[in-house]
């Protein structure tokens, strides 16, 4: 009889040691108190990892009794590590709140005519040609920026003099005199000026080119009925910059341009 009791005691002890439990929790954001799905939950000691469902609920089964370090990770949120005693004392699921790494994103600012402005406060759509594209096109066709503008959608250049190479700029099909040309936000020529060599500008001093396709006469006058092109120059720095551009064509034309800047 004594042997039977010892045998039963060993069986009960083994059953208790092999008892398996489950861990259930809900993941929410600290700020909005909204459920956060897709959170990665890991238990270090037993190498178990699960993902929270779309409702932020986590369920891990078959956990032996003991004390565990559980790690909660989610992209954009700070990693949290908490210690739990399994089995849990309460049957109510625990709630874990994760803090965002960045409480607020920085506002996006666009640059036009050297003046900062919020995108939502900008009344017109402004497109820009960056400096790297300017350098690329100047290598393909040095001496002017006609090729660069002519490849922009809705903008065409029209040669007005084959002898001197003068050209006008047409936006949305309107005549060149309805396109305003600006330099750093200031009119480069008087309004309604057409057939000028303004497109034969060597892009050595240009940082970028901005243009508006569509009427901008309310802001820039009657010369911008079709649109406008704003040539933005480089800002001088403490480091001197010196560059030259030599250009020759099959018509025995030759021109040389130079640019130097220093603060």
């Amino acid at each position: 009889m004594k042997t039977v009791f010892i045998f039963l005691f060993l069986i009960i002890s083994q059953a208790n040691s092999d008892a398996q439990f489950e861990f259930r929790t809900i993941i929410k954001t600290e700020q909005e108190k909204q459920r956060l799905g897709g959170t990665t939950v890991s238990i270090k000691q037993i190498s178990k990892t699960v993902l929270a469902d779309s409702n932020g609920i986590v369920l891990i089964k078959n956990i032996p009794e003991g004390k565990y370090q559980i790690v909660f990770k989610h992209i954009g949120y700070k990693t949290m590590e908490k210690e739990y005693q399994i089995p849990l004392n309460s049957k109510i699921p625990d709630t874990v709140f994760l803090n965002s790494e960045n409480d607020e994103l920085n506002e996006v600012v666009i640059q036009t005519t050297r003046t900062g402005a919020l995108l939502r406060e900008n009344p017109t759509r402004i497109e820009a040609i960056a400096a790297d594209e300017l350098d690329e096109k100047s290598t393909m066709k040095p001496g002017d920026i006609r090729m660069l503008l002519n490849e922009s959608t809705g903008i065409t250049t029209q040669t007005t003099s084959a002898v001197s190479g003068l050209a006008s700029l047409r936006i949305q099909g309107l005549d060149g005199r309805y396109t305003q040309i600006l330099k750093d936000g200031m009119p480069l020529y008087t309004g309604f000026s057409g057939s000028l060599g303004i497109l034969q500008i060597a892009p050595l001093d240009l940082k970028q080119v901005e243009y508006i396709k569509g009427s901008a006469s309310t802001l820039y006058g009657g010369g911008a009925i079709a649109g406008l092109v704003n040539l933005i120059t480089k800002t001088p720095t403490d480091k001197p910059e010196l560059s030259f551009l030599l250009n020759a064509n099959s018509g025995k034309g030759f021109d040389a341009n130079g640019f130097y800047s220093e603060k």
Side-chain angles (χ1 to χ4, degrees):
M1 182 63 71
K2 183 177 181 180
T3 304
V4 174
F5 279 115
I6 294 175
F7 181 72
L8 292 175
F9 177 77
L10 291 175
I11 293 176
I12 295 173
S13 299
Q14 182 65 28
N16 289 333
S17 63
D18 293 340
Q20 302 291 308
F21 302 93
E22 65 179 31
F23 171 76
R24 186 188 298 268
T25 186
I26 300 175
I27 313 297
K28 292 184 178 181
T29 60
E30 179 68 34
Q31 290 77 17
E32 298 84 7
K33 301 297 186 293
Q34 295 181 351
R35 299 199 176 196
L36 192 61
T39 303
T40 302
V41 182
S42 305
I43 302 179
K44 294 182 177 180
Q45 290 87 334
I46 58 176
S47 300
K48 278 198 173 185
T49 302
V50 298
L51 289 177
D53 62 16
S54 58
N55 294 319
I57 299 175
V58 176
L59 177 61
I60 306 177
K61 296 182 178 180
N62 301 325
I63 305 175
E65 182 178 356
K67 187 177 292 186
Y68 298 94
Q69 298 291 334
I70 301 181
V71 181
F72 303 87
K73 292 183 179 180
H74 195 285
I75 297 176
Y77 292 84
K78 296 179 181 178
T79 300
M80 177 180 289
E81 184 173 336
K82 294 183 68 175
E83 185 178 83
Y84 289 91
Q85 178 66 44
I86 303 297
L88 299 175
N89 296 327
S90 176
K91 294 184 179 180
I92 300 176
D94 183 38
T95 302
V96 175
F97 296 95
L98 297 183
N99 285 304
S100 175
E101 290 184 348
N102 297 314
D103 294 334
E104 185 176 354
L105 297 177
N106 294 329
E107 290 185 326
V108 178
V109 180
I110 61 172
Q111 184 86 11
T112 60
T113 65
R114 293 183 176 177
T115 303
L118 296 176
L119 183 61
R120 63 174 178 269
E121 297 176 356
N122 194 35
T124 55
R125 178 185 176 185
I126 301 176
E127 300 179 51
I129 303 172
D132 54 349
E133 192 171 353
L134 287 171
D135 294 338
E136 178 185 353
K137 298 302 181 183
S138 65
T139 304
M140 298 172 61
K141 187 177 177 62
D144 60 49
I145 60 173
R146 278 181 294 182
M147 178 181 180
L148 182 69
L149 294 172
N150 198 43
E151 291 185 351
S152 301
T153 306
I155 301 178
T156 57
T157 57
Q158 180 181 15
T159 302
T160 56
S161 175
V163 177
S164 59
L166 300 182
S168 64
L169 187 63
R170 301 172 68 95
I171 297 180
Q172 307 290 17
L174 293 178
D175 194 80
R177 66 178 183 269
Y178 298 115
T179 300
Q180 182 68 271
I181 307 295
L182 307 177
K183 187 105 176 211
D184 294 330
M186 301 298 294
L188 192 60
Y189 292 94
T190 307
F192 297 97
S193 58
S195 301
L196 296 174
I198 52 179
L199 298 182
Q200 299 183 43
I201 300 173
L204 295 177
D205 66 333
L206 295 181
K207 180 174 67 175
Q208 69 179 25
V209 177
E210 298 176 347
Y211 53 91
I212 297 176
K213 295 180 293 186
S215 179
S217 56
T218 303
L219 298 175
Y220 298 97
I225 294 176
L228 66 91
V229 174
N230 186 19
L231 308 175
I232 300 180
T233 58
K234 298 177 181 177
T235 303
T237 61
D238 295 329
K239 184 179 180 180
E241 180 182 353
L242 177 63
S243 58
F244 292 97
L245 179 62
L246 305 178
N247 181 39
N249 55 48
S250 59
K252 297 183 179 181
F254 178 83
D255 58 79
N257 297 280
F259 173 72
Y260 173 78
S261 70
E262 183 180 5
K263 183 179 287 186

